[in-house]
Amino acid sequence: MLPALLYVVAITQLPFLVSIYYSLTNLKDKTQSLIPEPTKFVGFDNYKQIFSDSFFRQAMWTSVKMTVLAVVLSLIIGTVFAILLDRKFLGQGLVRTLLITPFLLMPVVAALIWKQQMFSSLFGVLNKVLTFVGFSSVAFISDHPLASIVTVLVWQWTPFMMLIMLAGLQSQPTDILEAANVDGASSVGVFRQLTLPHLRPYLELGALLGSIYIVQAFDAIDVMTGGGPGSTNVPYYVYQESIGGGFRYGSASAYAIVVVVFSIIIATFALRVLSSLFKDEERA
Amino acid sequence: MHEARTESVRSRRTLVVALIVAVAAITATFAATASGTSTAKTISVAIVANGQMQDIASLTPALFTAKTGIKVKYTILDEGKLRQVTTRDVGSGGKAFDAVMIGPYEAPQFGAAGLLQDLTSMAKADKAYTYNDLIPAVRNALSANGKLYASPFYGESSFLMYRKDILAKNGVKLGLHPTWQQVAAAARKINTSSMAGICLRGKPGWGDLGAAFTTVLNTFGGTWWSAKSNGQPDKAQVDQPAFKQALGFYAKLVQDAGEKDAANSSFNECLTQYQANKVAMWYDATVAAGTLEAADSPVKGKNGYAFAPVYKTKSSGWLWSWALAIPRSSPDPTDAWTYIAWATGPQYIKAAGTHTKGGWAAIPPGTRFSTYRIPQYKAAAKAFAATTLAAMKAAPITNPGTSKRPGLPGVQYVGIPQFQDVGNRCTQLFSAVIAGSMDDTKAISQCQQIAAQAVK
């Protein structure tokens, strides 16, 4: 146990401590000065700069919009798919596998497929259809960067949400549903008054796990837009500030640490929901 | 008491053992990954995904590895990604690459900072390489303090390429030295829904949109920064009228008569569109002409060439070269030089003429005088070779605009390390202006902020 623990500490916590140290310096890449400059200790300057940096605020706002849109949309679509799958029909296994496939693709591949085969104004399927129907073609990614990225994220994360909601639906006791049926409840009524309350913790879980993953979205942004107004989220901004072109490791470390603090806050909420879910299970 | 002490000794011993195991595990991980790269006689090279580089990558096994026994592992990336990867690797002393492709922006800066091997003595000693054959403008652009830090694979300026047939059909005439106003008027006149008037780079990146736009900015009398008398950058000048005028002109021209999805287009995208009859004019690197006139090009023989359009300056074309350099941290500099001497030497240029699909017109141009004496090349490149050489000679590298520039010489970039990041982030904003999703006043004020912050 102890070697494992030390290994984990060595590869996760030591770099974090080093990052904290870097965040208090003006460390930058050697290529960023014509004459080698010594690295100076700058105290909390990097942190002060974060709160006056309008681009960071912009990136935060993009992160919020991107995450909320992607999570909500994939939850809604995922729930619909789960309800449709939660019954016996011919070819159910095949349909389920096909629906899960987007989640199994590498994010970079998914983004590339969408960029080149769907959105592209030269070769894209969407524009082929648009021009066939008589509309003029749309430069999806350049004109609507955020919407394009959210589309890909939703496409990838819908299966994940669907699986969680399917588990929720299948854990619903059938005797209650039968009783409601016997009492003559309409199917909409059953869904609103019985199924939805039952699914609530699963929705919460899906939303929180989804948020934790989607807030870190990077691949789709890098492949499709390479950043820019409307598509640079917080992880991408930190990347641009550090190894993605800025090469200012000191201030990038400060940004990263602020992000870690935010992530811990969100993760704490997620863990609380998770544990309450398990407690409910135990009670039931 | 005694028992407690043995207990603590034992736990301390466990701790020490545990620490050793942990450290061993980490070193083992690194050793395992490192041993993969130390196989003898294989070098790693990072290059740009342009046509001539794709050619050399496919010819390397037959023409180089077969003779020298040195295998070359290529990493082929688009311009922006390549810059990130090479800057990171060179700057951190990483050992990922034995040779990297860089240009006149990076070579003198990295060289002066002591991050690249000085190639001068190896180049001068190598008879087959013939150092004195290199075109001086290119050689100087890749040197710092008289030391050559990168060997040019191809060299280029920028100029205007146009379809003679389309212009003639519309009754448009362009001289050899057009102004931007003439070019804009021509583009608007010949623009149709199926064929755009002009292709101009709109893809974010200092070397993409940034390069084309900065040549326009220069000739419109604008600049990114003013310079102090010692050559240091002084104040950001993005919010000045000339900058706004240049950006407005560029964005409006692309919106009115530019290619489809301009915000995603750079050299390779424009090349595709030009060859597919989707654009009638194209302002870009002179090296493109070789591909347009190549043996397998659908637009061969249909093109006219004019010098980079101007407004307030006499010449505005850029000077660039994709060149191979050896990072100071290269694991195998000797083999790396053997490779570079072959790839950028006069023999490869000749071999490319007979071994590639594009034929003589598409060989790597603009690096050596001897290239322009090859009879087959003179015939195949008749339409553009002289203009290319003259454009490279005319590139105003030391005085690109109407005011003094900070940093090292450069036309389509500012020769200071901060420009890479400022150029990349600002061109993201300008690209959004071109796409119409951001207004230029907002883009300018945000870019001014970025540029000012960078030189603070």
Side-chain angles (χ1 to χ4, degrees):
Chain A
M1 195 53 200
L2 194 57
L5 188 68
L6 279 178
Y7 185 77
V8 168
V9 167
I11 64 165
T12 63
Q13 300 313 303
L14 288 184
F16 184 63
L17 289 179
V18 175
S19 292
I20 293 181
Y21 169 71
Y22 284 162
S23 75
L24 303 173
T25 68
N26 69 345
L27 180 70
K28 48 184 183 175
D29 198 83
K30 279 192 199 134
T31 57
Q32 297 306 297
S33 41
L34 292 175
I35 313 136
E37 290 168 20
T39 301
K40 274 184 302 204
F41 190 76
V42 295
F44 287 96
D45 281 7
N46 290 328
Y47 290 93
K48 278 183 216 149
Q49 183 210 323
I50 294 179
F51 296 98
S52 61
D53 182 352
S54 64
F55 298 101
F56 186 65
R57 280 200 298 273
Q58 216 174 312
M60 288 251 262
W61 180 227
T62 306
S63 263
V64 170
K65 280 194 286 189
M66 195 181 283
T67 312
V68 170
L69 275 173
V71 168
V72 169
L73 288 174
S74 57
L75 253 186
I76 293 173
I77 303 172
T79 309
V80 172
F81 282 167
I83 292 168
L84 293 176
L85 271 183
D86 187 31
R87 63 186 78 177
K88 284 262 168 289
F89 59 90
L90 190 68
Q92 188 190 23
L94 180 73
V95 171
R96 195 171 48 208
T97 311
L98 285 179
L99 282 175
I100 294 169
T101 312
F103 190 59
L104 305 178
L105 277 187
M106 281 178 282
V108 171
V109 177
L112 266 180
I113 291 176
W114 275 89
K115 181 184 184 183
Q116 302 292 359
Q117 299 183 357
M118 302 299 284
F119 288 141
S120 162
S121 50
L122 287 179
F123 327 105
V125 173
L126 292 179
N127 275 312
K128 286 260 148 61
V129 172
L130 277 181
T131 41
F132 182 76
V133 182
F135 292 99
S136 58
S137 71
V138 180
F140 288 99
I141 296 177
S142 346
D143 291 355
H144 311 284
L146 183 66
S148 304
I149 287 166
V150 167
T151 307
V152 178
L153 290 175
V154 169
W155 184 76
Q156 275 232 290
W157 285 92
T158 295
F160 176 79
M161 302 299 184
M162 183 189 80
L163 288 177
I164 291 183
M165 302 319 289
L166 202 55
L169 285 172
Q170 287 173 351
S171 73
Q172 197 176 15
T174 45
D175 47 352
I176 300 177
L177 296 177
E178 274 161 23
N181 245 339
V182 171
D183 291 344
S186 69
S187 54
V188 175
V190 170
F191 180 75
R192 276 189 45 199
Q193 314 219 336
L194 293 175
T195 310
L196 212 51
H198 170 78
L199 286 181
R200 214 190 115 203
Y202 294 91
L203 285 167
E204 283 172 359
L205 178 69
L208 275 162
L209 287 181
S211 308
I212 290 175
Y213 286 116
I214 292 175
V215 86
Q216 317 168 5
F218 179 88
D219 316 54
I221 300 165
D222 194 44
V223 169
M224 290 170 63
T225 65
S231 70
T232 299
N233 64 356
V234 172
Y236 205 81
Y237 187 73
V238 173
Y239 164 74
Q240 282 188 327
E241 187 72 13
S242 58
I243 56 174
F247 297 102
R248 291 175 292 269
Y249 301 134
S251 67
S253 300
Y255 285 112
I257 281 159
V258 170
V259 175
V260 167
V261 171
F262 277 111
S263 308
I264 290 175
I265 295 171
I266 300 178
T268 314
F269 276 108
L271 289 175
R272 230 176 250 170
V273 173
L274 257 181
S275 61
S276 76
L277 197 66
F278 286 128
K279 261 180 220 145
D280 288 347
E281 287 287 88
E282 274 163 27
R283 239 178 276 137
Chain B
M1 190 66 199
H2 183 74
E3 239 167 57
R5 196 175 303 154
T6 46
E7 186 64 25
S8 85
V9 166
R10 198 174 300 154
S11 73
R12 204 176 301 154
R13 203 173 294 156
T14 331
L15 190 72
V16 169
V17 171
L19 256 177
I20 293 170
V21 172
V23 170
I26 296 172
T27 32
T29 320
F30 277 93
T33 49
S35 66
T37 54
S38 66
T39 16
K41 292 278 179 193
T42 298
I43 58 167
S44 299
V45 181
I47 56 172
V48 191
N50 290 353
Q52 279 82 352
M53 291 71 155
Q54 312 264 18
D55 285 344
I56 196 172
S58 66
L59 292 176
T60 303
L63 299 182
F64 180 70
T65 309
K67 283 194 191 117
T68 58
I70 302 171
K71 277 194 190 147
V72 183
K73 202 171 81 195
Y74 285 104
T75 303
I76 306 181
L77 298 166
D78 75 44
E79 210 174 306
K81 269 271 137 30
L82 178 89
R83 288 214 165 86
Q84 280 172 21
V85 170
T86 52
T87 309
R88 199 152 68 210
D89 195 57
V90 169
S92 63
K95 296 190 184 320
F97 299 109
D98 298 283
V100 293
M101 196 164 255
I102 55 176
Y105 172 70
E106 294 92 354
Q109 286 187 29
F110 293 1
L115 301 167
L116 299 174
Q117 307 253 358
D118 174 11
L119 305 179
T120 325
S121 57
M122 288 190 283
K124 281 185 175 159
D126 197 326
K127 278 240 167 65
Y129 180 83
T130 42
Y131 178 82
N132 288 324
D133 185 27
L134 294 174
I135 294 175
V138 175
R139 199 181 65 202
N140 292 338
L142 295 167
S143 304
N145 313 319
K147 291 174 181 160
L148 182 71
Y149 285 109
S151 174
F153 176 71
Y154 70 57
E156 63 181 28
S157 180
S158 59
F159 64 5
L160 184 76
M161 296 158 269
Y162 57 87
R163 287 282 295 273
K164 285 188 290 192
D165 51 335
I166 307 289
L167 262 65
K169 203 175 76 187
N170 288 282
V172 176
K173 277 203 183 104
L174 275 182
L176 196 57
H177 294 273
T179 65
W180 269 114
Q181 284 73 14
Q182 288 166 350
V183 171
R188 290 192 169 95
K189 189 166 179 200
I190 59 182
N191 185 55
T192 63
S193 60
S194 59
M195 191 185 225
I198 188 165
C199 206
L200 286 173
R201 297 181 177 190
K203 187 178 179 175
W206 79 255
D208 293 295
L209 167 59
F213 169 70
T214 302
T215 65
V216 177
L217 173 70
N218 289 337
T219 198
F220 270 65
T223 182
W224 289 84
W225 291 279
S226 58
K228 291 183 189 157
S229 54
N230 64 359
Q232 289 293 311
D234 191 9
K235 296 218 158 49
Q237 301 288 316
V238 177
D239 58 356
Q240 297 302 304
F243 201 110
K244 189 167 183 190
Q245 197 198 352
L247 179 65
F249 171 84
Y250 194 97
K252 189 95 190 359
L253 178 55
V254 180
Q255 285 164 355
D256 289 352
E259 73 277 17
K260 267 187 195 159
D261 201 2
N264 252 320
S265 303
S266 191
F267 179 82
N268 285 319
E269 291 78 7
C270 281
L271 177 62
T272 309
Q273 300 213 29
Y274 190 97
Q275 290 199 313
N277 295 319
K278 302 262 188 209
V279 292
M281 297 197 287
W282 176 24
Y283 170 65
D284 214 304
T286 54
V287 72
T291 314
L292 298 185
E293 304 295 346
D296 57 350
S297 164
V299 293
K300 186 177 175 232
K302 294 181 178 168
N303 314 294
Y305 301 91
F307 285 90
V310 289
Y311 177 33
K312 288 183 177 163
T313 60
K314 268 196 164 141
S315 57
S316 75
W318 71 56
L319 183 72
W320 187 253
S321 163
W322 282 115
L324 288 161
I326 307 177
R328 172 76 62 203
S329 52
S330 160
D332 195 354
T334 321
D335 286 340
W337 172 255
T338 312
Y339 166 75
I340 291 178
W342 168 75
T344 61
Q347 295 84 357
Y348 173 73
I349 294 175
K350 283 193 188 118
T354 48
H355 286 82
T356 59
K357 270 189 299 186
W360 283 100
I363 62 174
T367 57
R368 293 171 170 277
F369 289 120
S370 60
T371 307
Y372 294 85
R373 290 194 297 263
I374 303 172
Q376 295 97 319
Y377 184 67
K378 274 160 91 175
K382 203 169 58 211
F384 62 88
T387 320
T388 298
L389 265 187
M392 287 177 68
K393 219 172 157 188
I397 181 144
T398 49
N399 183 23
T402 54
S403 59
K404 185 177 154 64
R405 303 291 139 112
L408 296 164
V411 180
Q412 75 278 32
Y413 53 84
V414 185
I416 58 172
Q418 295 93 325
F419 180 71
Q420 173 160 332
D421 187 43
V422 171
N424 285 342
R425 289 173 62 194
C426 285
T427 49
Q428 287 181 344
L429 304 169
F430 301 164
S431 183
V433 173
I434 289 171
S437 56
M438 187 177 218
D439 73 46
D440 58 349
T441 321
K442 197 172 161 197
I444 293 245
S445 85
Q446 293 196 0
C447 174
Q448 167 74 13
Q449 212 179 320
I450 295 170
Q453 177 82 23
V455 297
K456 208 168 63 179

